[in-house]
Amino acid sequence: MNYNQTLPTPTGLEQWQPHIYELKISRDGKDNIVLEFAEMGVAIVRYVLTPKLRNHLMNTLMQA
């Protein structure tokens, strides 16, 4: 997801700068799903979903 945001510069003026958010989905060696959220290529949050948590998430999403 891309969006622009104003950020102050050293001179005190604000300028538009792009921000890029990424979501990586992978598996580890233990049959867990790994979700990694990154901003500008740097991972900021990493969630590991075990099979039990994955089933709970799917049930919750199906009820919404």
Side-chain angles (χ1 to χ4, degrees), residues 2 6 10 13-15 18-19 21-22 25-27 29 31-32 34-35 37 40 50-52 54-58 62:
N2 296 334
T6 58
L13 300 174
E14 289 190 354
Q15 66 181 10
H19 283 253
Y21 285 99
E22 302 168 3
I25 302 172
S26 59
R27 285 190 179 265
D31 197 33
N32 296 326
V34 179
L35 304 174
F37 297 93
M40 307 289 285
T50 63
K52 184 177 178 180
R54 182 182 63 221
N55 291 339
H56 180 68
L57 175 63
M58 288 297 123
M62 288 173 32

Side-chain angles (χ1 to χ4, degrees), residues 2 9 11-12 24 29 32 36-37 45:
N2 296 334
T9 62
T11 61
K24 290 183 186 178
N32 296 326
E36 277 187 352
F37 297 93
V45 178

